[in-house]
Amino acid sequence: FKGAHRDPLITLGSAPLDNTLFRAAVFEQLGEPRLEAAVITDIVGKKAHAVRLDDEAVETIRKARLHRKVANAVFFESTGGQAREEATLPEIRLALGEPDLDIGNIETALESLSEACYYLTCEKSKYRFSLVPNLNKLISDRRASIEEPLINEIVRSEIQKAFSAFNGVYLIFFPDKSIQIPDRSAVTLIILPPDQSLEEACRKE
């Protein structure tokens, strides 16, 4: 099969969760189809966090698809009917160990996944996927609910507060053009808009 990955060993990380038939069979065995959201969002969806992290990783991790393999291993270790619904670091290492794999990269992948995934939780080096979204998901949803104009307004307001203590200095906030800056014999501090760099301002003029 030309589309197969040439992994030296078949491990938990090799499980083709991106295959809908395989995934359906897994959920049927687990008796929990609601885990689909966690798998698609964090592990195998086109925009899944593990997929993105692999694409952005260094060559050795990217070629090994290590973020996806680590996420796979955590998923099966923490949801596969085990006595403990969690995956420890030694278990993940054992599940993914193969020739030429730098074991230290597993911890690197776990750290990145913990910072990005929405349904992966970590407590004292114990990892698990669950139905409950974590803080990453809650923060992302909260950010999405705040409109950009309101964010810009708050940012500009806070900047003006921060510079209000400059006594004896003439302040000009967020000018669009140089004509808005008067030619006067006074110490003047120009505060550019937060979305504009000095280089952009120079090019604009």
Side-chain angles (χ1 to χ4, degrees), residues 147-201:
E147 297 181 358
E148 188 172 347
L150 177 58
I151 296 174
N152 293 335
E153 180 182 340
I154 293 174
V155 169
R156 291 187 176 220
S157 176
E158 291 299 319
I159 291 174
Q160 289 176 317
K161 289 179 183 178
F163 283 96
S164 62
F166 282 71
N167 297 323
V169 177
Y170 187 63
L171 301 174
I172 298 178
F173 290 95
F174 320 131
D176 292 323
K177 297 181 179 180
S178 59
I179 195 173
Q180 295 174 282
I181 304 172
D183 186 7
R184 57 191 300 176
S185 57
V187 178
T188 304
L189 180 60
I190 313 299
I191 297 91
L192 294 175
D195 58 345
Q196 183 182 65
S197 68
L198 182 59
E199 290 76 11
E200 289 173 334

Side-chain angles (χ1 to χ4, degrees), residues 80-185:
Q82 309 295 331
R84 292 177 292 104
E85 294 185 344
E86 60 192 23
T88 64
L89 182 56
E91 287 173 334
I92 299 170
R93 285 174 170 171
L94 179 62
L96 299 178
E98 61 183 42
D100 300 325
L101 175 67
D102 184 347
I103 294 296
N105 285 337
I106 290 179
E107 294 179 62
T108 301
L110 277 169
E111 183 177 346
S112 298
L113 288 166
S114 298
E115 293 175 354
C117 290
Y118 288 169
Y119 295 92
L120 175 65
T121 58
C122 172
E123 184 177 353
K124 296 180 180 179
S125 297
K126 297 176 182 178
Y127 304 85
R128 67 187 299 263
F129 278 103
S130 69
L131 302 172
V132 181
N134 59 25
L135 188 59
N136 295 336
K137 172 65 171 171
L138 299 179
I139 292 175
S140 177
D141 289 347
R142 175 59 178 165
R143 285 176 176 171
S145 67
I146 301 176
E147 297 181 358
E148 188 172 347
L150 177 58
I151 296 174
N152 293 335
E153 180 182 340
I154 293 174
V155 169
R156 291 187 176 220
S157 176
E158 291 299 319
I159 291 174
Q160 289 176 317
K161 289 179 183 178
F163 283 96
S164 62
F166 282 71
N167 297 323
V169 177
Y170 187 63
L171 301 174
I172 298 178
F173 290 95
F174 320 131
D176 292 323
K177 297 181 179 180
S178 59
I179 195 173
Q180 295 174 282
I181 304 172
D183 186 7
R184 57 191 300 176
S185 57

